[in-house]
């Protein structure tokens, strides 16, 4: 295990004494000011129209994301089908050239 050559937390080498100053006046401790109380009503108030708007926007987002995912799935399926057809055509061409 590696050990540092210089101590990372050196101990004091001599007796440490504090100096008391009598010329500095003592500051009386004052309690902190009380924190403001939270309001009794919620911060966000939704009206029935706002709730309907939020539900409508959520539905629209779900429909858009679903359409994007379905289109991506269809794109992958079409690509896989075209690659499979191309592979069959190339295999049949290679097989027909080997029979000649």
């Amino acid at each position: 295990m590696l050990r540092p050559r210089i101590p990372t937390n050196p101990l004091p080498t001599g007796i440490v004494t504090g100096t008391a100053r009598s010329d500095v006046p003592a500051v009386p401790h004052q309690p902190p000011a009380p924190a403001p109380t939270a309001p009794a009503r919620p911060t966000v108030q939704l009206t029935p129209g706002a709730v309907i708007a939020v539900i409508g926007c959520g539905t629209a987002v779900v429909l858009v994301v679903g359409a994007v995912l379905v289109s991506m799935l269809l794109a992958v399926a079409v690509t896989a089908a075209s690659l499979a057809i191309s592979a069959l055509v190339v295999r049949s061409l290679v097989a027909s050239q080997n029979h000649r």
Side-chain angles (χ1 to χ4, degrees):
M1 183 172 173
L2 300 174
R3 294 182 185 236
R5 293 183 185 173
I6 301 172
T8 56
N9 191 10
L11 298 174
T13 56
I15 298 174
V16 178
T17 58
T19 58
R21 294 181 57 184
S22 62
D23 59 342
V24 178
V27 177
H29 177 71
Q30 296 180 357
T37 59
R41 60 188 177 101
T43 305
V44 177
Q45 292 182 355
L46 293 177
T47 61
V51 171
I52 292 173
V54 168
I55 291 173
C57 290
T59 304
V61 167
V62 168
L63 289 175
V64 168
V65 169
V68 168
L69 291 177
V70 167
S71 65
M72 289 174 63
L73 178 65
L74 287 175
V76 169
V78 168
T79 304
S82 63
L83 282 175
I85 291 171
S86 300
L88 287 175
V89 169
V90 169
R91 189 175 85 173
S92 68
L93 289 175
V94 169
S96 66
Q97 287 180 356
N98 287 340
H99 290 342
R100 288 184 188 178

